[in-house]
Amino acid sequence: MGERQHSKQGFLLCLIFCVLLQGSPSQPGSSHAYNINCTGFDLYGVDPAAFQAVFDRKAFRPVINNSIPTQVNISFTLSAILDVDAQIQVLTSFLWVNMIWENPFISWNPEECGGLSKISVSAKNLWLPDIFIIEFMDVDQTPTSLSAYVYSNGRIKYDKPMKVTSICNLDIFYFPFDQQNCTLTFSSFLYTVDSLLLGMEKEVWEITDNSRDVIRTQGEWELLGINKATPKLAMGSSLYDQIMFYVAIRRRPRLYVINLLVPSGFLIAIDALSFFLPIESGNRAPFKMTLLLGYTVFLLMMNDLLPASGTPLISVYFALCLSLMVLSLLEAVFLTYLLNLIATEPPAMPPWLQSLLLRYLRGCYNKRSQKETRGSGPDPIHLPGLMEPVVMAARVPGSSEARLNGDPGSTRVPLEQQTQGPPTVNLWGKFCLILDSMLFWLYLLFMATALSTIIVLWNS
Ligand SMILES: *[C@@H]1O[C@H](CO)[C@@H](O)[C@H](O)[C@H]1NC(C)=O
Ligand SMILES: *[C@@H]1O[C@H](CO)[C@@H](O)[C@H](O)[C@H]1NC(C)=O
Ligand SMILES: *[C@@H]1O[C@H](CO)[C@@H](O)[C@H](O)[C@H]1NC(C)=O
Ligand SMILES: *[C@@H]1O[C@H](CO)[C@@H](O)[C@H](O)[C@H]1NC(C)=O
């Protein structure tokens, strides 16, 4: 307050001088004499002696009254997102940090030196605020020997590039469709609120827009937006000013979709389609075995692309695809075993199964005969032995596929066995085919449910 009153008096006293010199009264120090005589700077260059008093003070915070806090306004431009490491939970980015503060010991009259309003000064000769990023995890790799601009009204503008390795709580559950929200907290290491206050030099939307313009790297991460909050940090009895920036970034998933999801989807589709290979030919189990092997190799190769820690949804998806393949392989093995057993020594069919099977087949036939030849169908009792191969060929996808395959030897034999063999063998054969198609539908149902669950989770 006393300072203010004093400057008011000073203002009144040297009003005339001020008008003559055309110095703005609001500029710091303008009510006093300028403390740097810049005469001749435009003719002979900057005189180091004129700044010597300022340089000698660089060890101390530049204030006249020590109870007045220095206001440091900061902003930054995010110029690159270099790496996001989910294993050690670290975000590596590159920032251009701008800081502006005032030094009341610097003021000169630009009129005296040909309109010279700013001078660049080596930063090591000036007091610098110790602003750092709380999340910092690495040594500061800021290049040394930077310069700062010193303005005639005492403002100092200091910009520095910074490679920031900061801890960030990364959640990779939705990988590769994940978004991350990393915090960069600017704060002073030493000065409490009564010595140093932080302010914004630019608005956050300006920072975001500038960063979007500057980030030219079409890397893996895309900048979504930047938000800020300004809570004070209490440490024991001291209170520190800080500004938190929330940097929201999103992964570009294309690489992972092309390299992980699409091949995996193809393999699982082939696995589903391989149900159309006739089970009697004995080709299906080896085929599925090969597919399973191929999928394992694929997973091994693509393991590097997955985040090394945590369990993302995509790992669940892969495990699901693998288990579907294993299940369908087991089904093929089981049915091959069953068919083999029937061909060598058919066990007696339980009566309940037989009656169920007969009823089912009759139902099938009735539906079919109603559609095609109304009223002129043969006796339903004879149906299982005579007509069934035709009916089954229409129902089970494998049989029609086999005929297209042009491998008559393998398919014809079991069919003939079915038509000529004893009734139990025929019934068992039909049972296998029905079981196969039932399990196929079950497999499809399970696959559809699981995949749609995962897709819904990914979209949420
Ligand atoms: C310094 O500033 C404080 C608070 O603004 C004020 O109370 C005090 O009088 C000032 N000291 C001088 C010498 O002006
Ligand atoms: C600045 O210095 C020059 C000599 O270098 C001197 O002639 C001039 O009077 C000084 N101006 C002020 C305001 O002290
Ligand atoms: C810092 O920002 C505040 C308000 O945003 C402003 O009043 C002050 O003059 C600025 N200080 C500097 C040194 O730019
Ligand atoms: C990031 O997290 C902070 C709190 O942790 C929240 O306030 C902010 O809105 C989040 N930003 C985005 C873009 O989700």
Side-chain angles (χ1 to χ4, degrees), residues 71 73 100-102 155 200:
Q71 164 106 23
N73 290 355
I100 290 189
W101 66 94
E102 263 165 25
R155 291 208 167 174
M200 296 285 290

Side-chain angles (χ1 to χ4, degrees), residues 179-183 224-227 229 246-248:
Q179 288 183 13
Q180 307 294 349
N181 185 357
C182 290
T183 314
L224 283 182
I226 298 175
N227 276 325
Y246 301 114
V247 180

Side-chain angles (χ1 to χ4, degrees), residues 90-364:
V90 150
L91 164 81
T92 310
S93 52
F94 205 80
L95 301 185
W96 300 336
V97 181
N98 320 107
M99 294 187 243
I100 290 189
W101 66 94
E102 263 165 25
N103 185 334
F105 300 107
I106 300 176
S107 65
W108 70 83
N109 184 2
E111 307 293 317
E112 284 177 8
C113 39
L116 182 72
S117 67
K118 67 176 183 187
I119 297 172
S120 73
V121 173
S122 174
K124 68 172 191 291
N125 291 314
L126 296 169
W127 174 86
L128 300 175
D130 61 342
I131 308 290
F132 79 120
I133 293 174
I134 291 186
E135 287 83 9
F136 221 82
M137 285 298 288
D138 209 347
V139 284
D140 191 352
Q141 288 164 338
T142 305
T144 49
S145 69
L146 290 169
S147 293
Y149 266 129
V150 173
Y151 290 83
S152 61
N153 57 7
R155 291 208 167 174
I156 297 178
K157 186 172 185 299
Y158 179 55
D159 296 354
K160 63 174 179 177
M162 255 174 125
K163 186 182 171 193
V164 181
T165 308
S166 59
I167 38 171
C168 176
N169 200 2
L170 299 167
D171 178 12
I172 41 111
F173 183 68
Y174 293 108
F175 173 90
F177 303 104
D178 52 340
Q179 288 183 13
Q180 307 294 349
N181 185 357
C182 290
T183 314
L184 297 175
T185 309
F186 288 79
S187 180
S188 167
F189 200 68
L190 174 77
Y191 296 110
T192 51
V193 276
D194 35 60
S195 309
L196 194 138
L197 291 176
L198 291 175
M200 296 285 290
E201 197 216 327
K202 287 180 191 146
E203 294 301 317
V204 265
W205 62 264
E206 246 177 304
I207 295 178
T208 312
D209 283 1
N210 286 350
S211 301
R212 279 223 189 88
D213 288 348
V214 166
I215 294 183
R216 289 267 171 264
T217 50
Q218 291 297 306
E220 198 185 337
W221 294 89
E222 183 188 350
L223 180 69
L224 283 182
I226 298 175
N227 276 325
K228 70 147 196 202
T230 50
K232 303 253 188 292
L233 173 72
M235 284 276 218
S237 58
S238 19
L239 201 61
Y240 295 88
D241 204 6
Q242 58 177 11
I243 301 185
M244 298 172 114
F245 292 97
Y246 301 114
V247 180
I249 51 177
R250 180 171 59 199
R251 199 191 293 271
R252 291 194 175 94
R254 200 186 322 153
L255 169 80
Y256 300 96
V257 169
I258 291 174
N259 283 332
L260 295 175
L261 295 183
V262 169
S264 174
F266 278 148
L267 284 175
I268 198 79
I270 293 174
D271 188 53
L273 286 176
S274 69
F275 274 91
F276 287 86
L277 289 177
I279 186 75
E280 317 91 86
S281 70
N283 282 342
R284 201 198 281 179
F287 183 81
K288 282 188 188 277
M289 191 65 230
T290 320
L291 213 57
L292 191 62
L293 193 69
Y295 196 66
T296 319
V297 172
F298 161 76
L299 283 188
L300 277 180
M301 275 168 54
M302 292 305 160
N303 206 21
D304 292 347
L305 283 181
L306 291 178
S309 68
T311 314
L313 206 52
I314 197 168
S315 300
V316 179
Y317 165 76
F318 286 149
L320 196 87
C321 288
L322 196 69
S323 46
L324 275 175
M325 286 182 171
V326 169
L327 282 183
S328 77
L329 177 64
L330 283 181
E331 190 256 16
V333 168
F334 172 68
L335 279 181
T336 312
Y337 163 77
L338 210 60
L339 278 176
N340 209 32
L341 192 73
I342 292 157
T344 48
E345 39 180 302
M349 183 170 268
W352 60 269
L353 184 60
Q354 193 164 1
S355 66
L356 198 72
L357 214 55
L358 282 177
R359 203 176 303 152
Y360 172 71
L361 289 174
R362 205 173 293 147
C364 274

